[in-house]
Amino acid sequence: MKEDHMRNGQLKPGYNVQIGTENQFILTYSIHQRPTDTRCLEPHLEKAQQILGKWPKTVIADAGYGSEENYAYLEKKEIQAVVKYGSYHKEKTKAWKANVGKIENWTYDTAEDHWTCPAGNRLHFHRESKETLESGYEIRRRHYRSSSCEGCPLKERCTKAAGNREMVVSLERLRYQKQAREILRSEEGYTLAVRRMTEPESVFGQLKNNRGFRRFLLRGMEKVTLEVGWLSLAHNLLKQAANDQKRRAAILQ
């Protein structure tokens, strides 16, 4: 919990609530005992598919969901991913673009499998390492090394390492980030990303602030899941009633 009323830094038990919305109606919800959103995307969408009977065509989410594993999952399910990644907004800043140490400012030669830094030096493939996440997803990272950084005028701005520059990168992650970047900067992607601000954020605002729901009254996954279900149903009924009232008012005018 973000609140710390006792100001003693004690951890407070809680649940991670995920919702999927469209036109501010809650289509699906799921409860998780995971502190971050990253590993909630897949189980949430699996539940959404069970409830709706089909996969969504497009998923719009913030950078908290922008992991390589999630991009791979959405691609496998043939779902359009309008999902930001952690450094998306930073990449647009002048400081980021001027940072010669960032791999995004380097050039990759696919055929020769080497990188060229802003100073013109090449980093050649050295070895590959693998990391298996708790979920079982495997990340393959490629290690590249420069043959010589001695005398490079950009070295102090590029790396703090005493020797030559070594870089570790997941080419798959870079590919997914490039795809995300292209769609987010397109007219369609920008429109969808902006729409997200008025979708789940507004719904959570209604639940927490306008209806004062900030604490679960029940305990345990099963009971909490029912509690969120009742809350979602109430929200949707009130939303529908408000829409109906607006339509009647428009007809009378």
Side-chain angles (χ1 to χ4, degrees):
M1 297 298 174
K2 295 181 181 179
E3 298 88 349
D4 186 8
H5 299 298
M6 300 298 292
R7 297 186 180 181
N8 56 10
Q10 290 184 353
L11 292 176
K12 296 177 176 62
Y15 298 92
N16 192 334
V17 180
Q18 300 286 317
I19 61 172
T21 70
E22 186 169 349
N23 298 322
Q24 296 184 11
F25 284 91
I26 300 175
L27 301 184
T28 183
Y29 64 90
S30 59
I31 314 299
H32 307 266
Q33 291 177 309
R34 296 169 178 171
T36 62
D37 293 330
T38 310
R39 289 198 56 215
C40 294
L41 179 69
E42 183 174 341
H44 178 75
L45 288 180
E46 295 287 342
K47 183 176 180 181
Q49 193 276 336
Q50 293 174 5
I51 294 174
L52 303 175
K54 60 181 179 180
W55 297 102
K57 294 181 180 179
T58 302
V59 165
I60 313 165
D62 64 18
Y65 303 87
S67 68
E68 179 183 326
E69 181 179 6
N70 285 341
Y71 285 128
Y73 173 78
L74 293 172
E75 183 177 72
K76 181 180 178 181
K77 297 299 182 182
E78 298 182 347
I79 300 173
Q80 183 186 43
V82 186
V83 182
K84 297 177 183 179
Y85 46 92
S87 60
Y88 175 72
H89 289 294
K90 292 180 181 179
E91 290 177 358
K92 300 186 211 179
T93 64
K94 292 182 179 179
W96 183 283
K97 294 177 181 179
N99 192 330
V100 297
K102 295 293 183 183
I103 190 175
E104 288 82 2
N105 297 325
W106 295 16
T107 304
Y108 179 63
D109 189 312
T110 307
E112 299 293 331
D113 190 20
H114 67 245
W115 290 86
T116 303
C117 73
N121 295 324
R122 291 182 178 180
L123 281 78
H124 297 276
F125 174 71
H126 176 60
R127 66 184 179 90
E128 184 176 85
S129 62
K130 298 179 182 179
E131 178 188 3
T132 302
L133 303 181
E134 184 181 350
S135 62
Y137 181 80
E138 184 180 84
I139 297 178
R140 303 176 66 177
R141 295 189 175 93
R142 297 177 70 79
H143 298 242
Y144 296 83
R145 282 184 181 176
S146 170
S147 57
S148 177
C149 293
E150 186 178 354
C152 177
L154 301 180
K155 185 178 179 182
E156 290 186 0
R157 293 168 53 195
C158 180
T159 178
K160 295 180 180 179
N164 296 327
R165 176 70 191 267
E166 180 172 343
M167 180 182 63
V168 184
V169 61
S170 167
L171 295 181
E172 276 293 272
R173 178 169 179 81
L174 290 182
R175 180 175 71 85
Y176 290 132
Q177 286 184 346
K178 180 181 179 182
Q179 291 177 350
R181 191 182 303 116
E182 289 174 353
I183 189 169
L184 285 165
R185 293 180 181 178
S186 68
E187 184 176 350
E188 177 194 10
Y190 177 78
T191 302
L192 290 173
V194 170
R195 179 178 171 181
R196 184 199 162 275
M197 300 177 187
T198 61
E199 281 286 346
E201 301 296 347
S202 297
V203 173
F204 276 126
Q206 286 282 345
L207 299 179
K208 291 182 177 181
N209 296 325
N210 296 351
R211 301 196 180 106
F213 190 86
R214 293 181 174 273
R215 288 288 184 275
F216 290 114
L217 303 177
L218 305 176
R219 294 293 180 269
M221 284 289 289
E222 184 177 355
K223 292 180 180 180
V224 168
T225 300
L226 287 173
E227 193 171 2
V228 175
W230 298 330
L231 189 66
S232 300
L233 179 60
H235 169 82
N236 287 348
L237 289 173
L238 290 170
K239 182 68 178 177
Q240 185 62 48
N243 288 348
D244 291 342
Q245 186 176 9
K246 289 180 181 179
R247 291 193 192 97
R248 286 195 294 270
I251 293 173
L252 291 175
Q253 289 178 358

